Amino acid sequence: ILTILGNSAVLATAVRRSSLLKSPELLTVNLAVADIGMALSMYPLAIASAWNHAWLGGDASCVYYALMGFLFGVCSMMTLCAMAVIRFLVTNSSKSNSNKITKNTVCILIAFIWLYSLLWAILPLLGWGYYGPEPFGISCTIAWSKFHNSSNGFSFILSMFLLCTVLPALTIVACYLGIAWKVHKAYQEIQNIDRIPNAAKLEKKLTLMAVLISVGFLSSWTPYAAASFWSIFNSSDSLQPVVTLLPCLFAKSSTAYNPFIYYVFSKTFRCEVRKLQCCCGWRVHYFSSDNSAEHHPVPTMWSG
């Protein structure tokens, strides 16, 4: 619910400000699309399976669920990597050079991110790697436990780990360390804190927001990655079901954090959310007035 409501607000804000969006902000929109796509395509099936105490739908739904998770997960990771690189280029370039990152350039980059993610997601369907159920039985993902006795599966895991996790994560860390050093040097040159330009303060706030988004995503998925790699080299029976379940749920929570980070750090997003709240409040009041005029009681669901 938090994922859908929060990221829907991000998308609604982007639509309202479509003519004013800067090219790097398109990556934020893409991240919201990936998060809400994961929530809509995966979470209802996982919740229903949890209530059923067993996976629903058999092998076909298991492959579908795992494919969606892999697709949107890699897309989110690569989007965060692209955000870090663009923020690094903008911070370390002059204004004239930063303007070269146009909307068309970012759109091409987003298209590449989706194609790259889709390629990795369909590779297990083509015979390189496997999809299968999680050890706790009410979710599906890459079949980690099958890879310790399969060279085919192990090569897939190693390649995926390097190209979809380690390399993007190192790129993110390197870019933000570079930005931090650049900002530190710039602040050292300005001795009086009151004389720091507003543009520099805004740049620092945007960088901090981007860092928190990346840290939230990486910290959410790290316990799941650790549990998954344990399953590669050891029997999944060696872990209690709750030990494999909690990291999986914590990883899924990554889709809900970003809108709250935007709300704290972005004044524009806060203003747009308040406008959406006022708009929704006006509609509720309008329909409530109509219902009272016709002497019909206001439904409890609509009033809420």
Side-chain angles (χ1 to χ4, degrees):
I1 292 172
L2 291 176
T3 296
I4 292 173
L5 290 179
N7 288 287
S8 294
V10 174
L11 296 179
T13 300
V15 170
R16 288 170 61 91
R17 299 182 60 252
S18 57
S19 60
L20 301 175
L21 283 180
K22 299 178 181 178
S23 50
E25 291 179 305
L26 295 176
L27 291 170
T28 303
V29 175
N30 190 57
L31 190 59
V33 170
D35 288 343
I36 203 170
M38 182 177 288
L40 292 175
S41 64
M42 298 173 59
Y43 296 174
L45 187 55
I47 293 169
S49 297
W51 281 103
N52 187 55
H53 297 271
W55 181 252
L56 294 173
D59 293 340
S61 64
C62 185
V63 170
Y64 158 79
Y65 184 93
L67 187 145
M68 290 295 106
F70 200 13
L71 171 64
F72 291 120
V74 174
C75 180
S76 296
M77 185 66 171
M78 300 310 296
T79 301
L80 291 173
C81 181
M83 289 172 64
V85 171
I86 289 180
R87 183 118 299 278
F88 177 79
L89 294 176
V90 170
T91 304
N92 289 273
S93 302
S94 62
K95 187 174 181 180
S96 59
N97 289 331
S98 63
N99 289 335
K100 292 180 181 179
I101 304 176
T102 63
K103 286 187 176 181
N104 287 336
T105 302
V106 176
C107 287
I108 294 173
L109 179 59
I110 290 173
F112 172 78
I113 289 172
W114 281 102
L115 290 174
Y116 184 81
S117 305
L118 182 62
L119 173 64
W120 279 102
I122 65 175
L123 283 176
L125 303 181
L126 301 178
W128 193 30
Y130 313 95
Y131 286 134
E134 300 268 18
F136 52 86
I138 55 171
S139 179
C140 291
T141 184
I142 298 170
W144 305 96
S145 58
K146 290 185 179 181
F147 295 146
H148 64 276
N149 55 3
S150 168
S151 58
N152 174 32
F154 188 78
S155 63
F156 173 77
I157 283 293
L158 185 61
S159 302
M160 182 272 293
F161 179 66
L162 291 175
L163 298 178
C164 298
T165 304
V166 174
L167 186 60
L170 290 178
T171 302
I172 290 171
V173 171
C175 286
Y176 287 133
L177 286 177
I179 293 171
W181 177 253
K182 177 76 174 181
V183 171
H184 173 70
K185 296 295 289 184
Y187 273 56
Q188 274 189 331
E189 295 174 0
I190 306 173
Q191 299 297 327
N192 189 352
I193 193 69
D194 296 327
R195 296 177 56 192
I196 296 177
N198 289 333
K201 294 179 181 179
L202 177 61
E203 191 70 30
K204 183 179 179 180
K205 183 182 290 187
L206 291 174
T207 300
L208 180 59
M209 182 177 71
V211 168
L212 287 177
I213 292 170
S214 299
V215 168
F217 183 86
L218 293 174
S219 60
S220 297
W221 282 93
T222 298
Y224 179 75
S228 299
F229 268 81
W230 175 271
S231 300
I232 294 176
F233 302 103
N234 302 274
S235 173
S236 57
D237 297 334
S238 60
L239 294 176
Q240 294 294 326
V242 68
V243 177
T244 56
L245 172 62
L246 290 180
C248 184
L249 295 178
F250 190 51
K252 287 180 170 62
S253 71
S254 65
T255 58
Y257 301 150
N258 296 341
F260 293 99
I261 297 174
Y262 301 147
Y263 192 85
V264 171
F265 287 92
S266 175
K267 183 178 180 181
T268 301
F269 183 63
R270 285 198 300 272
C271 293
E272 290 295 334
V273 169
R274 292 191 185 107
K275 290 178 183 178
L276 290 173
Q277 289 175 335
C278 292
C279 182
C280 293
W282 179 84
R283 288 176 180 172
V284 171
H285 175 74
Y286 174 79
F287 283 106
S288 299
S289 300
D290 286 350
N291 285 335
S292 60
E294 297 173 7
H295 306 289
H296 291 158
V298 180
T300 305
M301 193 74 168
W302 179 255
S303 179

